[in-house]
Amino acid sequence: MRLLGIETSCDDTAAAVVVDGRNVESNVLASQDEFHARYGGIVPEIASRKHVETINAVIELALRKASRTLDELDGIAVTCGPGLPGSLVVGVAAAQALAFGRGLPAYAVNHLHGHLFANFLRDGERDQAPPQTPFLCLVVSGGHTDLIAVEAADRHRVIGRTLDDAAGEAYDKVARLLGLGFPGGPLIDALARSGDPAAFAFPRGLVRDASYNFSFSGLKTAVRYHLDRHPEDARTRTADLAASFQAAVIDALCDKTLRAAHDLGVATIALAGGVAANSALREQLRARAQRAGLALLVPALEYCTDNAAMIAAAAFYRGARARVQPDQLRVDPNFAW
Ligand code: KG4
Ligand code: ZN
């Protein structure tokens, strides 16, 4: 089954062709980095207009790179939410027009399901088997930090989530405090490599709490208070601050994830979302999973951050649960798990 995936939930315009939810024939992404530099973040109105300008070219390129025509597709999968309403509507309208015009089935995909199912995509280098359920998935993105018990490919339960900021949001806010730029995750990731993670003792939110929930706003505030008292550290000890902040995020993420895996008795942990691209998180979760005798799945880097291949994968595995008539495709900015 060959699906065209379309993703426009935030500010990246993406399209991909994926066969059987695993084999990626193309994965195209147009990003709006030029605006990040100019405005220091995402401006929803600009993001929406950019999607309108690029969506057709991105879809055409995805088909061309896959050497496929619309006639060879079996369906159109699109992100319906959660995300920015003005951005989502562009992808949904494009998907609706294509599905309606071609008489193809449409799939209404939850962006978070997309991140989870990125773990089912075949990663060029490894010919790994699809994950065996049950497993535990830590979804860490710019808007979400959720622990998901995946009982079957089409059945899961949210067992924990952040009570305030998402992990990616904390990276972006702390990067701004340090004057680094946007998005902050990759910048802090790179800078932290030359810093001392033990230089500053920042708080690990909720680690002693019995729930599987997370909290990152206290950590962000601790970094801000530190900079209020020692403003010169933003220039002279940037790498140490980045490394110490990152260590606190990763400790909290790993502690809760390992505890949940132990309590649920699963043998496999999966990582997903933009923050899953973080090199230190990948390394530390791998090391801790190994010590605990657990398998760890991590998507290839290009499938961690927003992309359309994961949307096509989610549509394939969700199947009838995601399939709708083209005229029933609706934007749902608060689409819940
Ligand atoms: O999943 P994603 O691309 O979009 C959302 O659905 O939110 O995640 C974006 C988030 C941003 O907050 C970004 O700073 C973070 O992922 N991110 C990273 C890294 N790459 C992206 N955070 C830490 N380390 C990275 N290498
Ligand atoms: Zn995302």
Side-chain angles (χ1 to χ4, degrees), residues 40-230:
I42 295 164
V43 182
E45 179 60 29
I46 294 177
S48 171
R49 274 186 270 149
K50 274 294 173 195
H51 284 310
V52 174
E53 283 171 24
T54 47
I55 185 77
N56 288 340
V58 166
I59 291 172
E60 268 170 42
L61 190 56
L63 288 167
R64 184 138 41 92
K65 284 199 166 175
S67 303
R68 301 293 171 193
T69 64
L70 287 172
D71 293 332
E72 292 169 274
L73 297 177
D74 299 304
I76 313 282
V78 64
T79 305
C80 291
L84 301 169
S87 290
L88 290 163
V89 74
V90 179
V92 168
Q96 199 160 36
L98 281 172
F100 201 71
R102 291 276 159 169
L104 289 169
Y107 293 85
V109 178
N110 181 312
H111 181 81
L112 299 167
H113 291 167
H115 278 304
L116 193 162
F117 283 100
N119 280 291
F120 288 64
L121 290 167
R122 179 169 285 154
D123 162 354
E125 298 133 47
R126 296 172 294 144
D127 187 18
Q128 83 286 27
Q132 293 290 307
T133 52
F135 64 88
L136 180 71
C137 187
L138 172 65
V139 181
V140 265
S141 72
H144 291 79
T145 301
D146 295 332
L147 256 181
I148 310 296
V150 185
E151 285 146 3
D154 65 350
R155 203 173 66 240
H156 55 253
R157 218 157 29 91
V158 181
I159 61 165
R161 55 167 34 121
T162 181
L163 301 180
D164 38 59
D165 291 352
E169 190 180 354
Y171 268 95
D172 295 337
K173 287 177 174 170
V174 167
R176 182 168 301 175
L177 291 175
L178 295 174
L180 296 177
F182 182 90
L187 301 167
I188 289 185
D189 188 355
L191 195 59
R193 282 186 207 129
S194 55
D196 175 6
F200 305 102
F202 289 131
R204 273 70 173 150
L206 296 182
V207 284
R208 270 181 275 280
D209 177 85
S211 75
Y212 303 125
N213 293 329
F214 304 95
S215 167
F216 295 106
S217 75
L219 169 59
K220 167 199 67 191
T221 305
V223 175
R224 195 172 58 226
Y225 284 169
H226 179 89
L227 289 171
D228 286 347
R229 285 192 307 274
H230 308 278

Side-chain angles (χ1 to χ4, degrees), residues 9-10 12 111 115 140-144 167-169 171-172 182-186 189 246 273-279 304-306 310:
S9 67
C10 194
D12 291 326
H111 181 81
H115 278 304
V140 265
S141 72
H144 291 79
E169 190 180 354
Y171 268 95
D172 295 337
F182 182 90
D189 188 355
Q246 177 162 283
V275 183
N278 186 271
S279 56
C304 287
T305 43
D306 287 351
M310 69 184 194

